Amino acid sequence: MNVNHQFKKALHPIPSLFGATEHENGLSQAVAKARLKAEGANELPATDGRNLLNIALEVVREPMFLLLVAAGTIYFALGDVSDALMLLGFVCIVMAITIYQENKTERVLETLRDLTSPRALVIRDGIEQRIAGREVVRGDVLVLSEGDRIAADAVLIACNYFSADESLLTGESVAVHKTAQVDDNVTDSAVAEDASLGGEGSPFIYAGSLVVQGHGLARVLATGLYSEIGKIGKALQGVDNEVTPLQLEIRRLVRYLAIIGAFLCVLLLVIYGLTRGDWLHGLLSGITLAMTILPEEYPVVLAVFMAMGAWRISKHNVLTRRMPTVEALGSATVLCVDKTGTLTFNRMAVQQLLVNGALFEADQMPEVLPEDFHELTEFSILASQIAPFDPMEKAIHSFGQHYLADTEHLHGDWQLAYEYALSPEMLALSQVWKAVERDDYVVAAKGAPEAIADLCHLNPQQLAILSEQVNTLAAKGLRILGVAKATYSGSGWPDIQHDFDFEFLGLIGLADPVRPTVAPAIKQCHAAGIRVVMITGDYPATAASIAAQIGLDIGTNGIITGAELSQMDEAALSTHIQHSNVFARMVPEQKLRLVNALKANGEVVAMTGDGVNDAPALKAAHIGIAMGGRGTDVAREAAALVLLNDDFASIVHAVRLGRGIFDNLRKGMAYIFAVHIPIVGLSFIPLLLGWPAVFAPVHIVFLEMIINPACSIAFEAEPAEANVMHRPPRPPKEPLFGRRILLISLFQGFVVLLVALLVLAYALFNGQSDESVRTLTFSVLVVGNLGLILVNRSWRRTILQTLNNRNPALWWVVGGALTFLILAMTVPFLRGVFHFSAITVPQFALCTLAGLVSVLWFEVYKMVKR
């Protein structure tokens, strides 16, 4: 959108701070790019990121790594150099895999941090464009509006009723009023040289401050480390360390398993030493058992799933600002959504004009606007910003330019003298103009019809007629504005709009088309047991029309208006909202009360919002969703999710992904639990029975090379179940390991353990060597392990049915494990390292069959349950 010079003239006289051309057009893209390269990005040094060295140091301190090094040291002490070297080689491989996974997760988080950083609206090459805050450079012209987070230290060159919250820098909670710069001799270092220039009445604004009122233009003086906040070294946002119930559950599980593992390791060491008199080998067996029980996968898997889940959701135009939200999405029971811009396109167009009972239908595209409607159009333009951002004001300007271009009703040479802003108490605004060749001032007002009627002091009969006309237009799904005019010749501006003598001119009806993706998304929500609640500032009739278009059931209690809601006590509101899905004539302050009432009823609430006043409701909701396109910075900061395209369908898709992520997380965790049961059992039971040890540390490392990528990569990439949006939301307090999941995992693991022990006993009683026994048993365990991966891909569909699911990571894990197992049994060097012996093809086929049989019972269970 080209910047209108009159916008700046209407605010305050604008000084020549950097030349007329640069001021009109802002910086050029070439200059901005050069300054960004020369002076660096507009950001503070990241403190929460980790590089490869940090990750490697963390891996080195991991208990699993320390146990592997200890085992290698014991092998050296026993004189088994080949085993020691091979084990340490595996240590390097495990380290590489772990570092790769951690680094991938960190890069995903870094990408998400970049995407969710504050945005800035700047003028470059004469065009307004929204860029990442880190790309703002010295000399850029910022376009600032209420609710924006200021991206850099700057000086105001034009403003109107501009106030900023500078508490981040000063600690002063009261917003300070700002004025435009009148001194032409401001240098780029002015802010740094005299910090006292800030505060009340100053033209200087600072990075991190919040615009709480008005709008303006500002030239950037300092960015990044050169800004005031950069010098002080404060972080704009603290790291979110919120601990979720799921994280607490994982911590408890890890703690319990660690205690059990430590006890069993000491017990095994004592038993081995007392019964066999070999304490060094007993220590090695204890270390092996510790490696099998150590629950290091659980926190890693949770972190990977949350980070990768947030990344996957971002691919669908939804950014995750708080990781715990990924798990919360699956439990949302109510979606509270704004109508404008979320259910609709937020692209308004004038559809109908109503003056003294006469109707003009613009949607019929007539060529000429009758004279009776000229004045209504003229004053609706005068009551709008000269360079509007609001979609309705844009539509009014476009309509006026189309029909009044060659008339005397457009006033490009008039000067804006004074402005009365919209407020919750008066849902109307007025603009006072100094007309050319007139001694008095012209006042134009527009706003909610009832507010305009109040300003015009209509009598009861006129109010009744107006109400009927409003309902008629609203029933067509139109957004309705009233327009009035007045003149003023006093010496001082009145305190309130009521002091003008307004004359009612008529009504303007605007339409905002419904997004075609909304109706199917509403159906998905209904099928998924999610209740959709529409909140709008429009009239009930308009809300009803939109609800009918998108297939939203209004509810048995009908539409509740803001006025009705304000009259209800908490008990009445709690009852009424259970059966009402549409709330009309709502102001932002009432959204917070609505969210709290829904939460008190036990609902898990997701809430959308875009304005400054929406921030409390977004913060109060379980899942706050800010609009990325039209939302303010303060709304985005209060929200957990940011909707990039402002489309309701994207929210529903995020819910679908959230449910799938939690399902896959549960499957991955259940697999980890199940697969460790036979590993622990085969490490402990043979030694208790006096049988040869099945495992050495090298075997555990081999198994971990299957388990780690399987649970953190293969399961994470698994597509969601087909019925994920055809079941009710997950109860928010439902544990990850419910009784049913725990029993299934236990049974899966015990069956694999039982089959492996049967093969082990059969081989021993048939006189097989220790190496052959180990080879046969380990083969059964590896095949059973891979079988557990395949059967746990879906708890509804069979293995054959899931083969159509595209998951390349899974087949890399399965193929790699089988290939390496075959190499370990056939390559002499590897056979020696793993203490295997050659087995026949029929023996391997028997082991494969035994491994598959150990998990195929779960396939029968799935078919029975269906």
Side-chain angles (χ1 to χ4, degrees):
M1 181 176 66
N2 288 321
V3 178
N4 192 322
H5 179 62
Q6 292 185 22
F7 169 60
K8 290 159 269 185
K9 287 173 62 181
L11 296 173
H12 285 291
I14 298 174
S16 299
L17 291 176
F18 42 91
T21 302
E22 187 171 327
H23 175 243
E24 288 293 328
N25 298 321
L27 296 179
S28 67
Q29 290 288 1
V31 170
K33 184 176 181 180
R35 288 190 183 177
L36 182 64
K37 183 178 181 181
E39 300 177 5
N42 179 36
E43 59 186 0
L44 300 180
T47 58
D48 52 355
R50 298 182 300 164
N51 55 33
L52 276 173
L53 180 60
N54 297 139
I55 295 171
L57 290 175
E58 289 179 11
V59 171
V60 168
R61 293 194 295 267
E62 286 290 326
M64 178 64 77
F65 177 83
L66 297 177
L67 288 172
L68 287 171
V69 172
T73 304
I74 293 174
Y75 274 124
F76 272 119
L78 293 172
D80 199 341
V81 178
S82 61
D83 278 359
L85 293 177
M86 178 55 67
L87 187 61
L88 293 177
F90 275 117
V91 168
C92 295
I93 295 174
V94 171
M95 276 190 65
I97 293 174
T98 305
I99 291 173
Y100 169 77
Q101 291 176 346
E102 291 279 338
N103 188 59
K104 182 177 180 181
T105 301
E106 191 62 36
R107 299 291 76 79
V108 169
L109 292 173
E110 187 176 285
T111 301
L112 291 173
R113 283 193 291 266
D114 290 342
L115 289 173
T116 55
S117 64
R119 313 288 286 176
L121 187 63
V122 300
I123 301 172
R124 287 185 181 172
D125 293 321
I127 305 296
E128 286 183 6
Q129 49 189 284
R130 194 168 292 279
I131 63 174
R134 68 184 306 276
E135 297 176 5
V136 172
V137 299
R138 181 175 52 82
D140 261 328
V141 176
L142 301 174
V143 181
L144 300 169
S145 300
E146 179 180 322
D148 286 348
R149 183 70 68 181
I150 299 170
D153 289 359
V155 59
L156 285 168
I157 53 180
C159 66
N160 192 2
Y161 298 101
F162 195 97
S163 295
D165 176 2
E166 298 180 342
S167 59
L168 187 67
L169 285 168
T170 66
E172 177 58 56
S173 59
V174 178
V176 292
H177 178 69
K178 298 289 183 177
T179 58
Q181 173 62 242
V182 294
D183 183 3
D184 291 354
N185 299 316
V186 177
T187 66
D188 287 348
S189 59
V191 177
E193 292 176 356
D194 191 354
S196 65
L197 288 175
E200 186 71 28
S202 164
F204 296 101
I205 55 179
Y206 301 98
S209 300
L210 182 68
V211 182
V212 297
Q213 184 183 22
H215 48 262
L217 299 175
R219 180 172 73 108
V220 174
L221 297 177
T223 62
L225 291 175
Y226 303 101
S227 66
E228 287 300 303
I229 197 168
K231 295 173 185 176
I232 295 173
K234 288 185 178 178
L236 294 180
Q237 292 179 334
V239 179
D240 188 359
N241 292 320
E242 178 183 358
V243 179
T244 67
L246 181 59
Q247 290 171 320
L248 290 174
E249 184 181 355
I250 293 298
R251 289 181 184 179
R252 284 195 300 269
L253 179 64
V254 169
R255 184 167 62 250
Y256 294 153
L257 290 177
I259 293 171
I260 294 172
F263 173 75
L264 291 178
C265 291
V266 174
L267 180 63
L268 180 62
L269 171 61
V270 172
I271 293 174
Y272 199 106
L274 293 176
T275 59
R276 305 192 184 190
D278 191 344
W279 291 95
L280 198 56
H281 275 94
L283 180 60
L284 190 61
S285 297
I287 290 175
T288 303
L289 181 60
M291 291 169 60
T292 65
I293 299 178
L294 193 68
E296 86 284 353
E297 294 99 343
Y298 291 104
V300 172
V301 168
L302 181 61
V304 169
F305 267 72
M306 294 299 104
M308 294 301 294
W311 176 75
R312 292 185 189 281
I313 290 175
S314 74
K315 294 296 183 181
H316 296 275
N317 295 307
V318 180
L319 296 183
T320 305
R321 297 190 68 251
R322 299 186 183 94
M323 291 300 163
T325 308
V326 175
E327 64 169 278
L329 277 170
S331 59
T333 60
V334 176
L335 292 181
C336 296
V337 294
D338 279 328
K339 175 187 73 68
T340 304
T342 307
L343 301 179
T344 63
F345 280 105
N346 197 28
R347 291 202 299 263
M348 305 295 288
V350 175
Q351 298 291 312
Q352 297 188 352
L353 304 181
L354 188 63
V355 176
N356 295 326
L359 184 67
F360 175 79
E361 297 183 295
D363 52 351
Q364 303 298 320
M365 301 299 292
E367 295 183 3
V368 179
L369 179 68
E371 183 68 30
D372 291 344
F373 300 94
H374 283 199
E375 190 175 38
L376 173 62
T377 306
E378 173 188 3
F379 277 85
S380 66
I381 294 174
L382 289 174
S384 304
Q385 296 291 332
I386 296 175
F389 300 105
D390 180 80
M392 289 191 293
E393 293 190 347
K394 286 182 178 180
I396 290 171
H397 271 265
S398 177
F399 182 84
Q401 291 293 337
H402 179 74
Y403 284 109
L404 302 181
D406 299 322
T407 70
E408 73 280 6
H409 295 288
L410 296 182
H411 308 287
D413 54 347
W414 287 14
Q415 296 294 316
L416 182 64
Y418 203 76
E419 184 176 0
Y420 294 88
L422 189 80
S423 70
E425 295 76 24
M426 174 54 66
L427 297 177
L429 60 84
S430 298
Q431 298 199 146
V432 184
W433 295 88
K434 184 66 178 78
V436 177
E437 299 179 353
R438 288 184 61 168
D439 294 330
D440 57 357
Y441 291 91
V442 175
V443 186
K446 70 172 173 41
E450 66 267 27
I452 297 297
D454 185 27
L455 290 177
C456 296
H457 305 290
L458 300 186
N459 60 43
Q461 182 180 358
Q462 292 172 319
L463 287 174
I465 295 173
L466 177 64
S467 178
E468 183 179 350
Q469 292 172 340
V470 167
N471 289 334
T472 299
L473 294 178
K476 302 175 183 179
L478 301 180
R479 184 75 177 268
I480 307 153
L481 295 175
V483 180
K485 71 173 184 177
T487 57
Y488 181 73
S489 56
S491 57
W493 301 120
D495 293 330
I496 58 174
Q497 300 177 68
H498 268 292
D499 292 339
F500 294 111
D501 186 15
F502 280 109
E503 175 189 347
F504 189 81
L505 296 179
L507 300 173
I508 297 181
L510 301 100
D512 184 9
V514 172
R515 295 178 184 265
T517 56
V518 171
I522 293 286
K523 289 182 179 179
Q524 287 186 54
C525 287
H526 290 161
I530 302 172
R531 177 183 166 200
V532 178
V533 173
M534 181 174 72
I535 303 173
T536 178
D538 279 334
Y539 282 89
T542 306
S545 173
I546 297 297
Q549 294 180 52
I550 63 176
L552 178 62
D553 181 22
I554 293 175
T556 56
N557 281 346
I559 298 174
I560 296 178
T561 66
E564 292 170 343
L565 186 143
S566 63
Q567 297 298 317
M568 297 179 188
D569 58 24
E570 297 305 320
L573 178 60
S574 177
T575 301
H576 279 78
I577 62 174
Q578 296 180 33
H579 306 289
S580 292
N581 296 324
V582 178
F583 296 82
R585 306 306 286 165
M586 297 281 287
V587 296
E589 290 79 4
Q590 292 172 322
K591 294 181 180 180
L592 176 60
R593 189 176 175 209
L594 183 61
V595 167
N596 287 332
L598 288 167
K599 289 170 64 178
N601 283 352
E603 305 284 2
V604 178
V605 183
M607 170 81 188
T608 68
D610 56 0
V612 175
N613 291 334
D614 289 336
L618 291 173
K619 199 75 173 179
H622 295 100
I623 306 167
I625 305 171
M627 302 297 102
R630 60 189 170 88
T632 59
D633 287 338
V634 70
R636 286 191 286 270
E637 289 169 9
L641 298 176
V642 178
L643 196 61
L644 292 182
N645 61 356
D646 295 357
D647 188 350
F648 175 76
S650 295
I651 302 175
V652 179
H653 202 94
V655 171
R656 178 185 179 88
L657 288 172
R659 289 188 175 191
I661 290 165
F662 186 85
D663 281 355
N664 289 340
L665 177 62
R666 174 176 276 173
K667 294 171 188 174
M669 295 291 192
Y671 159 74
I672 295 172
F673 194 77
V675 78
H676 276 80
I677 291 173
I679 297 175
V680 173
L682 289 172
S683 299
F684 197 77
I685 295 174
L687 296 179
L688 292 179
L689 297 177
W691 296 351
V694 176
F695 294 139
V698 67
H699 301 106
I700 304 303
V701 172
F702 178 88
L703 292 171
E704 289 295 330
M705 290 174 62
I706 302 174
I707 296 170
N708 284 341
C711 60
S712 62
I713 298 177
F715 278 108
E716 190 280 326
E718 193 65 28
E721 297 276 11
N723 73 330
V724 72
M725 292 297 281
H726 294 277
R727 63 186 190 221
R730 171 179 56 87
K733 294 184 179 180
E734 179 180 290
L736 183 66
F737 285 108
R739 180 177 298 177
R740 174 175 169 269
I741 304 299
L742 188 60
L743 289 176
I744 289 176
S745 297
L746 284 171
F747 202 66
Q748 285 181 339
F750 276 122
V751 173
V752 174
L753 172 60
L754 179 61
V755 172
L757 286 173
L758 289 175
V759 171
L760 172 60
Y762 176 80
L764 282 174
F765 289 128
N766 279 276
Q768 298 286 336
S769 66
D770 290 354
E771 289 75 14
S772 295
V773 170
R774 182 176 296 110
T775 307
L776 295 170
T777 307
F778 192 76
S779 298
V780 172
L781 182 59
V782 170
V783 174
N785 187 346
L786 298 179
L788 285 173
I789 297 174
L790 296 177
V791 298
N792 281 300
R793 291 183 70 190
S794 173
W795 291 343
R796 296 182 64 254
R797 296 178 297 158
T798 64
I799 293 177
L800 293 177
Q801 291 172 327
T802 58
L803 291 179
N804 293 327
N805 290 354
R806 188 177 181 277
N807 190 344
L810 170 72
W811 301 114
W812 277 107
V813 172
V814 174
L818 287 176
T819 300
F820 200 85
L821 176 63
I822 293 172
L823 290 175
M825 292 188 300
T826 55
V827 176
F829 172 73
L830 291 178
R831 264 206 317 264
V833 170
F834 281 86
H835 304 286
F836 286 166
S837 67
I839 60 174
T840 64
V841 173
Q843 285 178 320
F844 181 71
L846 182 63
C847 292
T848 302
L849 180 62
L852 293 176
V853 167
S854 70
V855 296
L856 287 179
W857 68 268
F858 191 58
E859 296 294 283
V860 178
Y861 171 80
K862 294 179 192 176
M863 292 185 286
V864 172
K865 288 294 289 183
R866 284 192 300 174

